[in-house]
Amino acid sequence: MVFIPPPHDQNGTAASSSKDISHWVDYQIRIRYAETDQMGVVYYSNYLIWFEIGRSEYCRKQGFSYAEMEAQTESFLAVAEVSCRYHAPAHYDELVKIRTSIASLKKRALRFQYQILNKQNGILIATGSTTHVILNKNGSPKTLPEKYALLLRNPLSKNTGPRRHPWERRPDDPII
Amino acid sequence: MVFIPPPHDQNGTAASSSKDISHWVDYQIRIRYAETDQMGVVYYSNYLIWFEIGRSEYCRKQGFSYAEMEAQTESFLAVAEVSCRYHAPAHYDELVKIRTSIASLKKRALRFQYQILNKQNGILIATGSTTHVILNKNGSPKTLPEKYALLLRNPLSKNTGPRRHPWERRPDDPII
Amino acid sequence: MVFIPPPHDQNGTAASSSKDISHWVDYQIRIRYAETDQMGVVYYSNYLIWFEIGRSEYCRKQGFSYAEMEAQTESFLAVAEVSCRYHAPAHYDELVKIRTSIASLKKRALRFQYQILNKQNGILIATGSTTHVILNKNGSPKTLPEKYALLLRNPLSKNTGPRRHPWERRPDDPII
Amino acid sequence: MVFIPPPHDQNGTAASSSKDISHWVDYQIRIRYAETDQMGVVYYSNYLIWFEIGRSEYCRKQGFSYAEMEAQTESFLAVAEVSCRYHAPAHYDELVKIRTSIASLKKRALRFQYQILNKQNGILIATGSTTHVILNKNGSPKTLPEKYALLLRNPLSKNTGPRRHPWERRPDDPII
């Protein structure tokens, strides 16, 4: 089914409020034929798969592998809630930029937020968020191991430029 | 990834408020192996596919085929927004009940709401909603053809009770 | 992507030769919107998911749940090989009949064969087969537990006719 | 479900015989969580999606976009047949190399062959092939437009070496 841009706030998304604790990690994918439906656009559930890719790459950029965390500490980031707004359609073979950020991070829960953009023309395709709780192998809530909490909080893993702390804003930094 | 029951209101979901204009249509599916992930539970994006099945069956129960509407009137129910809360995990081979209802219906937009339950034990697995706009073949907004608006509004397609035509409104029918 | 009927033998499929050790078990599904692609037909990998549904239902008809077998005996029917021929396209909302049969059954391997038909007009949509080996939890080959081998071999689970126990073989039962 | 290495010929695959008309085009992907199933490995139908990615990238390497060919000439490479052998399991987050080659190319049909390898350790995960016919928008067979036939045949699009036009054949070029 197709998607259309619903009326939304001026800056296109509520995902980049100043309260964000984190930066954005970008990752690029190319849209698969399998991801389209008979409307000729990407089927709406596939965006949640892209969100998951964004989470994986966010972890990698922060210095650890989500796969390893799951295997070694038996800690699972279970999805408790998801929301997604579809702003513009996406098509087969287009390059898409998945932007991922952490919106909140607590001992037993965290929230990721996402922006999906068309890589070629910069158009915002979708925005969304996922709320997670940390579970052990048996499905009971647990605390996120400190090692990974620290890594996720690390503000220095920005894509470009020298490593800085978040409070070291430069005049030319984008206003967010 | 696994899902857990987030804290929620007493009755398990906000989906069945008295303001709902519609009844619920139930449909049963059996969970496929393909729908599981390495956590041993249903992967979180598959619930959106179940929602879509719910919409299709809701239309069928109201007396029309969504496939035919799309083909004959070139009207598409584009998804503008989705949200889903995961209350309990779902597993391979379990029977699942998809409950679908219309939360609001306007000329150019409508909203479905969903409840996903374990058929065997009645446990609430997930709740969610999708907001749609009606688009023509070129992706421009249009009005939902009157024929289908009437059919969707028809409160008489309830699982129980005699069938009536949409214009046979009764005094106690919900105002929409 | 779309599919076309390749030239094939007169009877449409090689799947129903007289050497088959088993009967066919039928199961019906309705095609999901999510299963279509931008050509307006079912994407070709989804047929393998339908094959898997066929296997599950074959087991159920033979008197056991594949899910239970996996959980209780830690025996997994790993796919070693698959082939599929696409004879005619399939579309959203069509009813499809999945026909499943066992082509061969050995101690450590078995082969299922499938026919996919349009339920409404009887047209043959696809044929295929999957070869499986039995693995334990660690991925090492093992023998299919005798209980399930017997149930799978049971020729009496035919859609018609009285139920018999697997050891109540009749003279005219196929030798396997 | 899991996969195991079935007994096969000495060189691991029949895909690289000397009769191949073409070279191999490589493309790398990272395995998604969504692609796993409850056995902890990649679900078997996802390999067909990887094959499709291989085809897309093969076309791109040969100098055209499959998406554009489909849109501009209304020529569709419909899948008529697929086969896949699963040699070793694949897991979440692993890097996978998709190797694609053309096995045969005729006016109205062509066949791709594939090798899937674990990028890190070089282990062969799967091999397969897809047979395609060329269809027009209405699903009738047609001839592959000459422009694209030439591009697909071009043996000079090898990863290394200078680019030449398709008619600049060299004595040592493979005969096709």
Side-chain angles (χ1 to χ4, degrees):
Chain A
M1 296 181 184
V2 295
F3 319 118
I4 64 114
H8 55 71
D9 48 41
Q10 207 56 28
N11 58 2
T13 168
S16 50
S17 85
S18 61
K19 291 182 298 180
D20 292 350
I21 68 162
S22 86
H23 51 279
W24 292 85
V25 167
D26 293 358
Y27 189 71
Q28 179 182 300
I29 59 164
R30 191 180 284 280
I31 296 177
R32 304 170 171 191
Y33 207 99
E35 293 174 326
T36 63
D37 66 18
Q38 70 179 41
M39 262 304 292
V41 300
V42 171
Y43 184 74
Y44 84 131
S45 73
N46 290 315
Y47 289 80
L48 274 59
I49 298 177
W50 296 354
F51 290 172
E52 170 238 299
I53 294 173
R55 291 196 292 277
S56 281
E57 298 304 326
Y58 190 91
C59 292
R60 199 182 324 282
K61 202 73 154 212
Q62 297 298 113
F64 69 99
S65 144
Y66 177 76
E68 274 178 34
M69 184 190 88
E70 212 177 74
Q72 289 171 7
T73 71
E74 294 194 341
S75 304
F76 302 89
L77 295 188
V79 183
E81 199 164 356
V82 65
S83 69
C84 183
R85 295 180 74 188
Y86 304 93
H87 302 284
H91 307 89
Y92 165 56
D93 213 43
E94 288 177 350
L95 288 173
V96 156
K97 190 197 282 184
I98 305 170
R99 310 197 72 211
T100 308
S101 169
I102 289 186
S104 75
L105 178 54
K106 299 172 187 170
K107 278 190 183 303
R108 286 164 171 263
L110 73 166
R111 201 162 74 86
F112 286 98
Q113 56 195 5
Y114 314 90
Q115 297 176 344
I116 309 292
L117 297 103
N118 181 306
K119 183 74 188 312
Q120 281 113 331
N121 59 24
I123 287 177
L124 184 69
I125 295 173
T127 51
S129 70
T130 52
T131 305
H132 304 257
V133 291
I134 297 92
L135 299 186
N136 67 15
K137 203 181 179 180
N138 302 319
S140 301
K142 63 176 287 190
T143 302
L144 184 65
E146 184 61 12
K147 170 186 171 186
Y148 299 103
L150 282 173
L151 285 168
L152 283 175
R153 275 201 190 88
N154 185 2
L156 305 171
S157 307
K158 292 185 181 180
N159 291 342
T160 58
R163 297 265 175 162
R164 288 175 297 163
H165 284 286
W167 51 83
E168 292 180 48
R169 300 205 125 247
R170 288 180 186 166
D172 57 341
D173 277 350
I175 304 303
I176 50 177
Chain B
M1 298 183 185
V2 296
F3 319 116
I4 65 116
H8 55 71
D9 46 43
Q10 205 57 27
N11 57 3
T13 168
S16 50
S17 84
S18 60
K19 291 181 298 180
D20 293 350
I21 65 162
S22 87
H23 51 279
W24 291 86
V25 167
D26 292 357
Y27 188 71
Q28 178 182 300
I29 59 165
R30 191 180 285 279
I31 295 177
R32 305 170 170 189
Y33 207 99
E35 294 174 326
T36 63
D37 66 18
Q38 70 178 41
M39 261 306 289
V41 299
V42 172
Y43 185 74
Y44 84 131
S45 73
N46 290 316
Y47 290 79
L48 275 60
I49 298 176
W50 298 353
F51 290 172
E52 170 239 299
I53 293 173
R55 292 195 293 277
S56 281
E57 298 304 327
Y58 190 92
C59 292
R60 199 182 323 283
K61 202 74 154 213
Q62 296 298 114
F64 70 98
S65 144
Y66 177 77
E68 273 177 35
M69 184 189 87
E70 210 178 74
Q72 289 171 6
T73 70
E74 294 192 342
S75 303
F76 302 88
L77 294 188
V79 183
E81 200 164 354
V82 65
S83 69
C84 183
R85 294 180 76 188
Y86 305 92
H87 302 285
H91 307 91
Y92 165 58
D93 213 44
E94 288 176 350
L95 288 174
V96 157
K97 189 197 283 184
I98 305 171
R99 310 198 71 211
T100 308
S101 168
I102 289 187
S104 76
L105 178 53
K106 299 173 186 168
K107 279 189 185 303
R108 286 163 170 264
L110 73 166
R111 201 161 74 86
F112 285 98
Q113 57 196 4
Y114 314 90
Q115 295 176 344
I116 309 291
L117 296 103
N118 182 307
K119 183 75 188 312
Q120 281 112 331
N121 58 24
I123 287 178
L124 183 69
I125 296 172
T127 51
S129 69
T130 52
T131 306
H132 304 258
V133 291
I134 297 93
L135 298 187
N136 66 16
K137 203 183 180 179
N138 303 318
S140 301
K142 62 176 286 191
T143 301
L144 184 66
E146 184 61 12
K147 170 186 171 187
Y148 299 103
L150 281 172
L151 286 168
L152 283 175
R153 273 199 193 90
N154 185 1
L156 306 171
S157 307
K158 292 181 186 181
N159 291 342
T160 59
R163 283 263 174 180
R164 288 178 297 165
H165 284 286
W167 51 84
E168 292 180 49
R169 302 205 123 245
R170 289 180 184 163
D172 59 339
D173 278 348
I175 304 303
I176 48 178
Chain C
M1 298 180 184
V2 295
F3 319 118
I4 63 117
H8 55 70
D9 48 41
Q10 206 58 27
N11 57 3
T13 168
S16 51
S17 86
S18 60
K19 292 181 298 180
D20 292 349
I21 66 162
S22 87
H23 51 278
W24 292 86
V25 167
D26 293 357
Y27 189 72
Q28 178 182 302
I29 59 164
R30 191 180 285 279
I31 296 177
R32 305 169 171 191
Y33 207 100
E35 293 174 326
T36 64
D37 66 18
Q38 69 178 42
M39 262 305 292
V41 299
V42 171
Y43 184 73
Y44 84 131
S45 73
N46 290 316
Y47 290 79
L48 274 60
I49 298 176
W50 297 353
F51 290 173
E52 169 239 299
I53 294 173
R55 293 195 292 277
S56 281
E57 297 303 328
Y58 190 91
C59 293
R60 201 183 322 282
K61 201 73 153 216
Q62 296 299 113
F64 69 100
S65 143
Y66 177 76
E68 273 178 34
M69 183 190 88
E70 213 178 73
Q72 288 171 7
T73 72
E74 295 193 343
S75 303
F76 301 89
L77 294 187
V79 183
E81 199 165 355
V82 65
S83 69
C84 184
R85 294 180 75 188
Y86 304 93
H87 303 285
H91 307 90
Y92 164 57
D93 212 43
E94 289 177 351
L95 287 174
V96 156
K97 189 197 281 182
I98 305 171
R99 310 197 71 212
T100 308
S101 168
I102 289 187
S104 77
L105 178 54
K106 299 172 185 169
K107 278 190 184 305
R108 286 163 171 263
L110 73 165
R111 201 163 73 87
F112 285 99
Q113 55 195 5
Y114 314 90
Q115 297 176 343
I116 309 291
L117 297 103
N118 182 306
K119 183 76 188 312
Q120 280 111 333
N121 59 24
I123 287 177
L124 183 69
I125 295 172
T127 51
S129 70
T130 52
T131 306
H132 304 257
V133 291
I134 297 91
L135 299 187
N136 66 16
K137 203 182 180 179
N138 304 318
S140 302
K142 64 175 284 191
T143 302
L144 185 66
E146 185 61 12
K147 170 186 172 187
Y148 299 103
L150 281 172
L151 286 168
L152 283 175
R153 273 200 192 89
N154 185 2
L156 305 171
S157 307
K158 293 181 186 181
N159 293 340
T160 58
R163 284 264 174 176
R164 288 177 296 164
H165 284 287
W167 51 84
E168 291 180 49
R169 304 205 120 246
R170 288 180 185 165
D172 58 340
D173 279 348
I175 305 302
I176 48 179
Chain D
M1 297 182 185
V2 295
F3 318 118
I4 65 116
H8 55 69
D9 47 44
Q10 207 56 27
N11 56 3
T13 169
S16 51
S17 85
S18 60
K19 290 182 297 180
D20 292 350
I21 66 163
S22 87
H23 50 278
W24 292 86
V25 166
D26 293 357
Y27 189 71
Q28 179 182 301
I29 59 164
R30 191 180 285 278
I31 296 177
R32 304 170 171 190
Y33 207 100
E35 293 174 326
T36 63
D37 66 18
Q38 70 178 40
M39 262 306 290
V41 299
V42 171
Y43 184 74
Y44 84 131
S45 73
N46 290 316
Y47 290 79
L48 274 60
I49 298 176
W50 297 353
F51 289 173
E52 169 239 300
I53 294 173
R55 293 195 293 277
S56 281
E57 297 304 327
Y58 190 91
C59 292
R60 199 183 323 282
K61 202 73 154 215
Q62 296 299 113
F64 70 99
S65 144
Y66 177 76
E68 274 178 35
M69 184 190 87
E70 213 178 73
Q72 289 171 7
T73 72
E74 294 192 343
S75 303
F76 301 89
L77 294 187
V79 183
E81 199 164 353
V82 66
S83 69
C84 183
R85 294 180 74 189
Y86 305 92
H87 303 284
H91 307 90
Y92 164 57
D93 214 43
E94 288 177 350
L95 287 174
V96 157
K97 189 197 282 183
I98 306 171
R99 309 197 72 211
T100 309
S101 168
I102 289 186
S104 76
L105 178 54
K106 298 172 186 170
K107 278 190 184 305
R108 285 163 171 265
L110 73 165
R111 201 162 73 87
F112 285 98
Q113 57 194 4
Y114 314 90
Q115 296 177 343
I116 308 292
L117 297 104
N118 182 306
K119 182 76 188 313
Q120 280 113 331
N121 58 24
I123 287 177
L124 184 68
I125 295 172
T127 52
S129 70
T130 51
T131 305
H132 304 258
V133 291
I134 297 93
L135 299 185
N136 66 16
K137 204 182 179 179
N138 303 319
S140 302
K142 63 176 285 189
T143 302
L144 184 66
E146 184 62 11
K147 171 186 171 186
Y148 298 104
L150 281 174
L151 285 168
L152 282 175
R153 273 200 193 87
N154 185 1
L156 306 173
S157 307
K158 292 180 184 181
N159 291 343
T160 57
R163 284 261 174 180
R164 287 176 298 163
H165 284 287
W167 52 84
E168 291 180 50
R169 302 203 122 249
R170 288 180 186 166
D172 59 341
D173 278 348
I175 305 303
I176 50 178

